Amino acid sequence: MRKAKRADSAKTPRDVQAVFDDIKATRKVADVNNFWRYLARDPALLKRTWEGVKEVMRPGELDVLTKEMLYLAVSITNGCGYCIASHTAGARKAGMTEAMFGELMGVVGMANETNRLANGYRVPIDPAFEK
Amino acid sequence: MRKAKRADSAKTPRDVQAVFDDIKATRKVADVNNFWRYLARDPALLKRTWEGVKEVMRPGELDVLTKEMLYLAVSITNGCGYCIASHTAGARKAGMTEAMFGELMGVVGMANETNRLANGYRVPIDPAFEK
Amino acid sequence: MRKAKRADSAKTPRDVQAVFDDIKATRKVADVNNFWRYLARDPALLKRTWEGVKEVMRPGELDVLTKEMLYLAVSITNGCGYCIASHTAGARKAGMTEAMFGELMGVVGMANETNRLANGYRVPIDPAFEK
Amino acid sequence: MRKAKRADSAKTPRDVQAVFDDIKATRKVADVNNFWRYLARDPALLKRTWEGVKEVMRPGELDVLTKEMLYLAVSITNGCGYCIASHTAGARKAGMTEAMFGELMGVVGMANETNRLANGYRVPIDPAFEK
Amino acid sequence: MRKAKRADSAKTPRDVQAVFDDIKATRKVADVNNFWRYLARDPALLKRTWEGVKEVMRPGELDVLTKEMLYLAVSITNGCGYCIASHTAGARKAGMTEAMFGELMGVVGMANETNRLANGYRVPIDPAFEK
Amino acid sequence: MRKAKRADSAKTPRDVQAVFDDIKATRKVADVNNFWRYLARDPALLKRTWEGVKEVMRPGELDVLTKEMLYLAVSITNGCGYCIASHTAGARKAGMTEAMFGELMGVVGMANETNRLANGYRVPIDPAFEK
């Protein structure tokens, strides 16, 4: 059965529980979402992935909203349904308004279009871009 | 010969020239880059593409730097060499520092990784994301 | 109706039936899965695809388990839901354990990440790799 | 200039040098390749990426050759030129023969084909694959 | 709720209604499909996208059937479920028979396969193709 | 050296030569292009790929020009440089004019854009498309 693939909370191994606890504390949420539950099937993968996500999504030179929108733009380009749903939610939580989302969609759509126009015409890179 | 595929400036048709002039005026640049010169092989495609790019890249709810970084994130994901070169230049011109670029790369890399992890484990979308 | 798109077994054309019989005999299964039933809408496509799959998946210098894992890694990268489901099943049948699947996911995720890092930094190929 | 984007060895920061030294010691090589030199522009990205690659490529339930071939299959699917060159070299070093490479190509090609056939016919997942 | 994301027809803004009316008149259909209803969340995106689609899909040097099949081939390659469903319907309406669809699938499958074979062997472009 | 990876004509194995001869006879060309020379490193892959390409590209319900344009649309979407160059040449040989190429580019660009808009808004498939 499909459900059996999620970690059963009654039997969560200690190393998995430690990651879950850190996710909940870092994000100030009551529970972890399905992505982390499925990754828990391989505790080393879960731990490495969470530590990577935690590090890259931390506010730095770019704020959290910008980072969430970049994550969403990549997920839309790749057509990952789960990731689009979760990062649309994440970007909204970080402050993305409906109008901002509309503009993001405009840029993502246009970039996917012009990427193929540049491919198709085999446009050589301008020397100015190499500096 | 490859060069013959670019519009020869001495013979630029009037409709193409009008678009080139608008690009130069809008972007305050002395000349248009190769992408526009190759698109000029089909004047209707050139005009429609420029008008689309001009509209989506105009500052709105998102500023120009954010839009350039979204464009770059999509181009990196698609592996379009020309677009990566031109939009890295565009983002730098709009204010992207080396440190910001490093953080963008971190997010783009991680998103491409977790997109596949979500695919591979066939993670069902959390009901909370559907609201 | 959707169902009508599958070949109705009572009316299976002889050339389609011959392919179905070969699939069942080769794989030692009681019935063919949906993929082959849908391809049967074009008997030439069905025959050519089955013969190609049969040839590439035959044990050779690489064993069946390795081939199934390569197939799965490509399917995860492309985000093909049907193919991920069917080749996860195929790889398990060929001996992929949960621990091996976790390691495969780690490699697939990391490759998708570093592919974009190499794109984004436009890393030139080392002369040593050209030998 | 393009070259200036590589870390100049005379001025390599201590944190970057530590990663370079670990790469050289782990892989028993005299120098690091271009990929790592370019990533060094962001020392945190360099460190995180190397630690991830080191962990996932370590022999475990899957041996190094299998892991290198999975990495190569993903890189070919994504069309990343640098990654194809470096992981073809990596897989050969780990024991991939010309005959094994030919079989890998056969599987990667066929998977990319059937992924689209499953998409195009919108094949529903067989209940048997959900168990 | 999901439904709330569609424009409620009782409250459709005037600019959105004008686009909907043009779609219905141009395509001679009683109602617009979901794609346009969702895009209506951003009226400028809706208008720009419709005008672009209307222009590129108009019969010209290529007829509507050829254009619909090209659209479908791209959508299958990208794995966009909605687009595959809508453009399969569109191509059928423009005259694509089951036999033509089978041949299209054959070409799309083979192109996706040989694209990776060319990537994997890093085949250099023949001078003859550069002329 | 790179060149050594091509089959040296003086030593071409008989099975490879038979495929080369069939390519030259079928296409009425004096020599085979680089793609086939690289595939010759694995004679079974060469033979299977050529037979598949020969079968799908044969005129049938779709003419050769339409098939070449579909092949090109997929290759542009995937960003395969070699394939774009060779199938642009192939489509031109089959009758694609500059104006037709411009329209093909318009459709390919727009399809890549709207594929992402449908992904990003997670548009549900209209019941009418399921019939």
Side-chain angles (χ1 to χ4, degrees):
Chain A
M1 296 164 307
R2 206 81 208 280
K3 262 175 201 158
K5 292 179 184 170
R6 290 184 33 163
D8 178 335
S9 60
K11 303 182 187 171
T12 310
R14 202 173 301 180
D15 51 354
V16 167
Q17 193 57 54
V19 174
F20 284 4
D21 288 347
D22 191 36
I23 294 172
K24 289 188 271 188
T26 304
R27 298 193 161 173
K28 297 179 181 57
V29 288
D31 204 358
V32 303
N33 62 39
N34 284 343
F35 179 73
W36 304 111
R37 294 202 174 279
Y38 274 70
L39 253 60
R41 290 163 63 182
D42 185 317
L45 179 63
L46 171 72
K47 187 173 192 299
R48 191 176 63 244
T49 306
W50 164 243
E51 286 176 356
V53 168
K54 186 164 96 166
E55 186 173 323
V56 303
M57 297 308 283
R58 182 181 291 153
E61 297 303 309
L62 301 178
D63 56 38
V64 173
L65 172 58
T66 301
K67 290 183 169 190
E68 282 288 352
M69 291 192 298
L70 290 169
Y71 220 115
L72 182 54
V74 170
S75 301
I76 291 170
T77 297
N78 284 329
C80 174
Y82 183 85
C83 314
I84 293 168
S86 64
H87 287 280
T88 300
R92 287 191 194 286
K93 199 173 161 185
M96 182 180 72
T97 61
E98 187 67 24
M100 293 164 86
F101 182 49
E103 293 193 7
L104 176 151
M105 291 291 279
V107 175
V108 169
M110 193 58 66
N112 273 289
E113 175 168 352
T114 59
N115 281 191
R116 272 66 185 203
L117 297 180
N119 287 345
Y121 281 120
R122 304 174 57 216
V123 185
I125 296 179
D126 301 70
F129 298 150
E130 303 285 7
K131 277 172 199 164
Chain B
M1 294 164 309
R2 205 80 207 281
K3 261 174 203 159
K5 292 180 183 170
R6 290 184 34 162
D8 178 335
S9 61
K11 303 182 189 172
T12 310
R14 203 173 302 179
D15 52 355
V16 166
Q17 193 57 54
V19 174
F20 283 5
D21 288 346
D22 192 35
I23 295 172
K24 288 188 272 189
T26 304
R27 297 194 161 171
K28 298 179 180 56
V29 288
D31 204 357
V32 304
N33 62 38
N34 285 342
F35 179 72
W36 304 111
R37 294 201 175 278
Y38 274 71
L39 254 59
R41 290 163 62 183
D42 185 317
L45 179 62
L46 171 71
K47 187 173 193 297
R48 190 175 65 244
T49 306
W50 164 243
E51 285 177 357
V53 167
K54 187 163 95 164
E55 187 173 322
V56 304
M57 297 309 282
R58 183 180 291 153
E61 296 302 310
L62 301 179
D63 55 38
V64 173
L65 172 57
T66 302
K67 290 183 170 190
E68 281 289 352
M69 289 193 299
L70 290 170
Y71 220 116
L72 182 54
V74 170
S75 301
I76 291 170
T77 298
N78 285 329
C80 174
Y82 183 85
C83 315
I84 294 168
S86 64
H87 287 281
T88 300
R92 286 192 195 285
K93 199 173 160 186
M96 182 180 72
T97 62
E98 187 68 24
M100 292 164 86
F101 182 47
E103 292 193 8
L104 176 150
M105 291 291 278
V107 175
V108 168
M110 192 58 65
N112 273 289
E113 175 168 353
T114 59
N115 281 193
R116 273 64 185 204
L117 297 180
N119 287 346
Y121 280 121
R122 304 174 56 217
V123 184
I125 297 178
D126 301 72
F129 297 150
E130 302 286 6
K131 277 172 201 166
Chain C
M1 295 165 307
R2 205 82 207 281
K3 261 175 202 157
K5 292 179 184 171
R6 289 183 35 162
D8 178 335
S9 60
K11 304 182 187 172
T12 311
R14 203 172 302 180
D15 52 355
V16 167
Q17 192 58 53
V19 175
F20 283 6
D21 288 347
D22 192 36
I23 295 173
K24 288 188 272 188
T26 304
R27 298 195 160 170
K28 299 180 178 55
V29 288
D31 205 357
V32 304
N33 62 39
N34 284 342
F35 179 72
W36 304 111
R37 294 201 175 280
Y38 274 70
L39 253 59
R41 290 164 62 182
D42 185 317
L45 179 62
L46 171 71
K47 188 172 191 298
R48 191 176 61 243
T49 306
W50 164 243
E51 285 175 358
V53 168
K54 187 163 95 166
E55 186 173 323
V56 304
M57 297 308 282
R58 182 181 292 153
E61 296 302 310
L62 301 179
D63 56 37
V64 174
L65 172 57
T66 301
K67 289 183 170 189
E68 281 288 352
M69 291 193 297
L70 290 169
Y71 220 115
L72 181 54
V74 170
S75 301
I76 290 170
T77 298
N78 285 328
C80 174
Y82 183 85
C83 314
I84 293 168
S86 64
H87 287 281
T88 300
R92 287 191 194 286
K93 200 173 160 184
M96 182 180 73
T97 62
E98 187 68 24
M100 292 164 86
F101 182 47
E103 293 192 7
L104 176 151
M105 291 290 278
V107 176
V108 169
M110 192 58 65
N112 273 289
E113 176 168 352
T114 59
N115 281 192
R116 273 65 185 204
L117 297 180
N119 288 345
Y121 280 120
R122 304 175 56 217
V123 184
I125 296 180
D126 301 71
F129 298 150
E130 303 286 6
K131 276 172 200 164
Chain D
M1 294 165 310
R2 204 83 207 280
K3 261 174 202 157
K5 292 179 183 171
R6 290 182 34 161
D8 179 335
S9 60
K11 304 182 187 173
T12 310
R14 202 173 304 179
D15 51 355
V16 166
Q17 194 57 55
V19 174
F20 283 5
D21 289 345
D22 192 35
I23 295 172
K24 289 188 271 188
T26 304
R27 299 195 160 171
K28 299 180 179 55
V29 288
D31 204 358
V32 303
N33 63 38
N34 284 342
F35 179 72
W36 304 112
R37 293 201 176 279
Y38 275 70
L39 253 60
R41 291 163 61 184
D42 185 317
L45 179 62
L46 171 71
K47 188 174 192 298
R48 191 175 63 245
T49 306
W50 164 244
E51 286 176 356
V53 167
K54 186 164 96 164
E55 187 174 322
V56 304
M57 297 309 282
R58 182 181 292 154
E61 297 302 311
L62 300 179
D63 55 38
V64 173
L65 172 58
T66 301
K67 289 183 170 190
E68 281 289 352
M69 290 193 298
L70 290 169
Y71 220 115
L72 181 54
V74 170
S75 301
I76 291 170
T77 298
N78 284 330
C80 173
Y82 183 85
C83 314
I84 293 168
S86 64
H87 287 280
T88 299
R92 287 192 194 284
K93 198 173 160 185
M96 182 180 72
T97 62
E98 187 67 24
M100 292 164 86
F101 182 48
E103 293 193 7
L104 176 150
M105 291 291 278
V107 175
V108 169
M110 192 58 66
N112 272 290
E113 175 169 353
T114 59
N115 281 192
R116 272 63 186 205
L117 298 180
N119 287 346
Y121 281 120
R122 303 173 58 216
V123 185
I125 296 179
D126 301 72
F129 298 150
E130 303 286 6
K131 277 171 200 166
Chain E
M1 295 165 309
R2 206 81 206 280
K3 262 175 203 159
K5 291 178 183 170
R6 290 183 34 161
D8 178 336
S9 60
K11 304 183 188 171
T12 310
R14 202 173 302 180
D15 52 355
V16 167
Q17 192 58 53
V19 174
F20 283 5
D21 289 346
D22 191 36
I23 294 172
K24 288 188 273 188
T26 304
R27 298 194 161 172
K28 298 181 179 54
V29 288
D31 204 358
V32 303
N33 62 38
N34 284 342
F35 179 72
W36 304 112
R37 294 202 175 278
Y38 275 71
L39 254 58
R41 291 162 63 182
D42 185 317
L45 179 63
L46 171 71
K47 188 172 192 299
R48 191 176 62 244
T49 306
W50 164 243
E51 286 176 357
V53 167
K54 187 164 94 164
E55 187 174 322
V56 303
M57 296 310 282
R58 182 181 292 154
E61 297 302 311
L62 301 179
D63 56 38
V64 174
L65 172 57
T66 302
K67 289 184 170 190
E68 281 288 351
M69 290 193 297
L70 291 169
Y71 220 115
L72 181 54
V74 170
S75 301
I76 290 170
T77 298
N78 284 330
C80 174
Y82 183 85
C83 315
I84 293 168
S86 64
H87 287 280
T88 299
R92 287 192 194 285
K93 199 173 160 185
M96 182 180 73
T97 61
E98 187 68 23
M100 293 164 85
F101 182 48
E103 292 192 8
L104 176 151
M105 291 290 279
V107 176
V108 169
M110 193 59 65
N112 272 289
E113 176 168 350
T114 59
N115 281 192
R116 273 64 187 205
L117 297 180
N119 286 346
Y121 281 119
R122 303 174 58 216
V123 185
I125 295 179
D126 301 71
F129 298 150
E130 302 286 7
K131 277 172 200 164
Chain F
M1 295 164 309
R2 205 80 208 281
K3 262 175 201 157
K5 291 179 183 170
R6 289 184 34 162
D8 178 334
S9 60
K11 304 183 188 170
T12 311
R14 202 172 304 179
D15 51 355
V16 167
Q17 193 58 53
V19 174
F20 283 5
D21 289 345
D22 191 36
I23 294 172
K24 289 188 272 188
T26 304
R27 298 194 161 171
K28 299 179 179 55
V29 289
D31 204 358
V32 304
N33 63 37
N34 285 342
F35 179 72
W36 304 112
R37 294 202 175 278
Y38 275 70
L39 254 59
R41 290 163 62 183
D42 185 317
L45 179 62
L46 172 71
K47 187 174 192 298
R48 191 176 62 245
T49 306
W50 164 243
E51 285 176 357
V53 167
K54 186 163 94 165
E55 186 174 322
V56 304
M57 296 309 281
R58 182 180 293 154
E61 296 302 310
L62 301 179
D63 55 38
V64 173
L65 172 58
T66 301
K67 289 183 170 190
E68 281 289 352
M69 290 193 299
L70 291 169
Y71 219 115
L72 181 54
V74 170
S75 301
I76 291 170
T77 298
N78 285 330
C80 174
Y82 182 86
C83 314
I84 293 168
S86 64
H87 287 280
T88 299
R92 287 191 195 284
K93 198 173 161 185
M96 182 179 73
T97 62
E98 187 67 24
M100 292 165 86
F101 182 48
E103 293 193 8
L104 177 151
M105 291 291 278
V107 176
V108 169
M110 193 57 66
N112 273 289
E113 175 169 352
T114 59
N115 281 192
R116 273 63 186 205
L117 297 180
N119 287 346
Y121 281 121
R122 303 173 58 216
V123 185
I125 296 179
D126 301 72
F129 297 150
E130 302 286 7
K131 277 172 200 165

